[in-house]
């Protein structure tokens, strides 16, 4: 029902707001997938659901959750505000997971490509959980939180990530390993992103945030609330992801929105922000069949792990593609020379008209004022400057392969 209402909303919007309708269509396709993955059950709601409604947010299904697409200000203004000041996102649909036990690092290293043993206390890193075929089950940040590992998995993924982890945990424990898994479904997660994010958050804590660099995380007091705060995000900007107890998330949300620099931002602008930053969206740019080598994520395969065949699930294919350069397709970025944005699912053609690739993400860039996107093409066509064609609304238009990110990343690396 929610999916049908969302589709009706987009059609109604199209006649009056053509730009916004075009921006919403690819999001709607993601929401349809979210509805399908959620089955016939009722959509879940974050602790901030009523707050979104009160702010006039347009809501739609995503990963089994009823989430805000945009606020009355619109996607374009929310996007640019985040690049210029500070945007506040509700990402409580994502799930925190704690891994404990003396052998927690060994266990998690059997499931992902990271060198967790080398991860300093209080630091995190992006990794991928892989299946036996070397495909990516999920991309996630894993943090060394001292006496445990803390990870955040994507919305709607607990139905496949957790069973996969539990299956391997049972085998691990049966062989004498000491590890356990705990999910944190009652936590809220806020993302404060943008060049003024640190300035805003510093007014709410005594901790010197200049001492917390990119991907560092720790438990700190924020406005009188004990939170687990990581200096990370999904926009390419400096920012923080704040895990907060559900009973306090509304209070913290309101306190942050009281700051003049901060505005609420929905999933629509979150998608365009991450695309400009060259960041993957699982389900579009990554999936169960795509290896990290194909996904151009070589950097998530730690140097030590490359020399340890058989040490993690799916390593045979992944290390073979890495050493033999045998992947037949790779993720690449592109810009649209002129014309409308090229959307997900559009075929890419070479000069002879032969299909050579597929678009996995495509949108209008509010900062560059042109179409940008990600695609999969043969490695021989990944060189920046390569010109391909896409058919959009019956017309051929040129796309040019380019390096990512499309806009500079502004992560805080320390003073």
């Amino acid at each position: 029902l929610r999916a049908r209402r969302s589709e009706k909303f987009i059609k109604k919007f199209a006649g009056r707001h053509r730009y916004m309708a075009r921006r919403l269509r690819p999001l709607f396709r993601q929401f349809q997938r979210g509805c399908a993955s959620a089955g016939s059950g009722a959509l879940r709601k974050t602790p901030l659901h009523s707050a979104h409604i009160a702010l006039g947010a347009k809501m739609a299904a995503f990963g089994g959750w009823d989430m805000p697409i945009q606020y009355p200000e619109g996607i374009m203004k929310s996007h640019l505000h985040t690049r210029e000041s500070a945007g506040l996102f509700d990402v409580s649909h994502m799930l925190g997971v704690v891994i404990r036990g003396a052998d927690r690092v060994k266990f998690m290293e059997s499931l992902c490509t990271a060198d967790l043993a080398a991860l300093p206390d209080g630091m995190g890193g992006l990794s991928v959980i892989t299946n036996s075929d070397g495909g990516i089950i999920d991309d996630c940040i894993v943090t060394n939180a001292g006496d445990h590992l803390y990870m955040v998995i994507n919305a709607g993924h607990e139905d496949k990530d957790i069973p996969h982890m539990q299956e391997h945990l049972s085998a691990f424990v049966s062989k004498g390993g000491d590890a356990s898994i705990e999910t944190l479904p009652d936590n809220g997660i806020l993302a404060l992103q943008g060049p003024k994010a640190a300035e805003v958050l510093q007014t709410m804590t005594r901790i010197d945030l200049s001492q917390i660099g990119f991907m560092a995380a720790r438990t700190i007091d924020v406005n009188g609330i004990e939170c687990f705060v990581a200096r990370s995000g999904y926009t390419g900007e400096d920012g923080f992801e704040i895990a907060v107890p559900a009973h306090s998330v509304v209070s913290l949300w309101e306190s942050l929105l009281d700051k003049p620099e901060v505005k609420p931002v929905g999933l629509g602008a979150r998608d365009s922000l991450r695309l400009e930053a060259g960041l993957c969206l699982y389900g579009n740019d990554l999936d169960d069949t795509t290896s990290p080598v194909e996904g151009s994520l070589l950097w998530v395969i730690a140097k030590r792990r490359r020399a340890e065949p058989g040490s993690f699930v799916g390593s045979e294919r992944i290390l073979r593609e890495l050493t033999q350069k045998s992947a037949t397709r790779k993720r690449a970025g592109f810009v649209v020379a002129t014309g409308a944005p090229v959307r997900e699912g559009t075929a890419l053609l070479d000069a002879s008209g032969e299909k050579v690739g597929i678009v996995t993400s495509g949108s209008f860039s509010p900062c560059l004022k042109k179409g940008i996107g990600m695609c999969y093409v043969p490695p021989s066509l990944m060189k920046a400057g390569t010109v391909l064609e896409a058919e959009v609304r019956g017309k051929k238009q040129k796309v040019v392969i380019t390096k990512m990110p499309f806009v500079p990343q502004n992560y805080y690396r320390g003073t």
Side-chain angles (χ1 to χ4, degrees):
L1 178 60
R2 172 62 73 176
R4 290 198 297 271
R5 288 175 178 171
S6 299
E7 183 174 25
K8 183 178 179 182
F9 159 68
I10 290 173
K11 289 179 178 177
K12 180 179 179 182
F13 219 66
R16 293 176 293 170
H17 306 275
R18 291 186 177 179
Y19 165 75
M20 290 307 304
R22 291 197 299 269
R23 281 291 300 119
L24 290 172
R25 284 189 194 108
L27 283 170
F28 175 64
R29 287 193 289 270
Q30 295 167 28
F31 299 142
Q32 283 182 312
R33 288 195 293 269
C35 290
S37 68
S40 58
L43 292 177
R44 299 164 71 182
K45 299 176 181 179
T46 76
L48 290 166
H49 187 270
S50 295
H52 299 313
I53 299 297
L55 288 169
K58 299 294 184 182
M59 309 293 289
F62 182 79
W65 294 78
D66 197 24
M67 297 297 294
I69 307 175
Q70 66 175 81
Y71 293 90
E73 191 172 60
I75 292 174
M76 175 77 83
K77 288 185 177 179
S78 290
H79 178 114
L80 295 174
H81 179 83
T82 304
R83 290 273 183 252
E84 296 163 1
S85 188
L88 183 61
F89 304 76
D90 176 14
V91 292
S92 304
H93 58 321
M94 302 179 74
L95 180 66
V97 180
V98 170
I99 302 94
R100 303 185 190 277
D103 300 320
R104 60 188 179 276
V105 169
K106 182 179 180 181
F107 168 64
M108 278 305 300
E109 284 194 349
S110 73
L111 301 182
C112 71
T113 59
D115 183 356
L116 300 179
L119 200 60
D121 190 354
M123 288 297 296
L126 180 69
S127 189
V128 289
I129 301 174
T130 48
N131 59 30
S132 58
D133 295 324
I136 298 172
I137 291 177
D138 204 358
D139 56 327
C140 55
I141 292 177
V142 184
T143 300
N144 178 0
D147 63 353
H148 66 276
L149 297 175
Y150 174 75
M151 62 184 289
V152 178
I153 63 177
N154 282 311
H157 278 225
E158 59 264 40
D159 291 341
K160 69 172 185 174
D161 290 16
I162 302 303
H164 175 81
M165 294 175 68
Q166 291 285 8
E167 177 186 354
H168 286 274
L169 178 65
S170 296
F172 184 80
V173 172
S174 70
K175 296 177 182 178
D178 178 16
S180 65
I181 298 170
E182 175 190 359
T183 59
L184 305 175
D186 296 327
N187 272 7
I189 306 178
L190 303 180
L192 181 65
Q193 301 284 296
K196 295 185 179 179
E199 174 187 328
V200 168
L201 194 61
Q202 189 64 78
T203 67
M204 304 173 72
T205 183
R206 294 181 179 179
I207 298 295
D208 182 0
L209 297 179
S210 70
Q211 301 304 307
I212 302 178
F214 180 56
M215 298 305 290
R218 66 175 70 173
T219 299
I220 65 175
D221 183 290
V222 180
N223 225 35
I225 304 167
E226 185 177 278
C227 303
F228 188 73
V229 179
R231 195 155 196 166
S232 59
Y234 193 49
T235 64
E237 297 294 334
D238 184 23
F240 304 85
E241 293 184 320
I242 308 166
V244 54
H247 59 79
S248 298
V249 69
V250 173
S251 171
L252 186 55
W253 169 269
E254 291 175 346
S255 295
L256 286 165
L257 287 183
D258 282 342
K259 305 294 183 179
E261 302 90 346
V262 180
K263 291 183 178 180
V265 185
L267 294 184
R270 189 170 185 255
D271 185 57
S272 55
L273 287 159
R274 69 89 193 170
L275 183 54
E276 284 188 341
L279 303 176
C280 297
L281 174 64
Y282 192 92
N284 281 44
D285 312 303
L286 304 173
D287 60 28
D288 293 328
T289 68
T290 303
S291 75
V293 178
E294 289 178 321
S296 299
L297 296 173
L298 298 183
W299 56 275
V300 305
I301 309 171
K303 184 177 180 180
R304 172 173 67 84
R305 311 306 306 282
R306 299 181 185 195
E308 297 175 343
S311 67
F312 59 90
V313 177
S315 63
E316 182 179 358
R317 171 192 172 187
I318 294 169
L319 297 184
R320 181 179 67 250
E321 290 181 346
L322 185 65
T323 57
Q324 298 180 11
K325 303 185 185 303
S326 58
T328 59
R329 61 179 188 137
K330 289 283 193 76
R331 180 176 63 92
F334 67 85
V335 296
V336 180
T338 59
V342 180
R343 303 299 184 185
E344 169 200 353
T346 302
L348 295 179
L349 314 174
D350 63 14
S352 68
E354 180 181 352
K355 179 180 176 180
V356 292
I358 190 78
V359 175
T360 54
S361 284
S363 180
F364 177 81
S365 165
C367 290
L368 301 180
K369 303 294 188 284
K370 65 175 69 174
I372 60 173
M374 295 185 195
C375 61
Y376 276 83
V377 294
S380 60
L381 298 177
M382 284 186 65
K383 185 178 179 180
T386 300
V387 178
L388 300 173
E389 287 189 331
E391 187 171 319
V392 180
R393 302 172 194 164
K395 297 181 179 180
K396 296 283 183 64
Q397 57 187 57
K398 297 184 185 301
V399 302
V400 182
I401 300 298
T402 188
K403 293 182 178 181
M404 294 184 284
F406 300 99
V407 301
Q409 294 175 336
N410 296 309
Y411 303 128
Y412 177 74
R413 304 292 184 180
T415 54

